[in-house]
Amino acid sequence: MAEMFDHTPSVWTAGRLREALAGLADDTPIHIGVCDAPGDFEGYGEYVLVDAEPVELDTDDASGPPAVQFTLFADATAGAYHLDAD
């Protein structure tokens, strides 16, 4: 049986992101390292930021306003790739 653990990452706020980006030049590319497993950045996948926008979330409460979260979208880094024919 697999060993279980609680994973509670510290999710960044817009303010924390602004603070981290404060000293960067406007044309600095943003790379994103995506961990292979919860909390495991040893062999992370490298992606680049390609978009950012508010995204409505599906909720069970149709009577209230839609839940929205600001989402950063990443894509594979530039390079030559095999076409996935599936």
Side-chain angles (χ1 to χ4, degrees), residues 5-66:
F5 67 96
D6 287 327
H7 180 62
T8 53
S10 176
V11 178
W12 280 34
T13 62
R16 188 170 174 192
L17 180 59
R18 277 189 209 99
E19 183 180 313
L21 300 175
L24 295 177
D26 288 344
D27 59 351
T28 302
I30 304 297
H31 288 252
I32 301 169
V34 177
C35 59
D36 287 337
D40 179 12
F41 287 98
E42 286 287 322
Y44 68 88
E46 186 179 349
Y47 297 86
V48 292
L49 181 63
V50 295
D51 196 8
E53 61 185 65
V55 174
E56 284 188 20
L57 304 175
D58 289 335
T59 62
D60 294 334
D61 183 13
S63 63

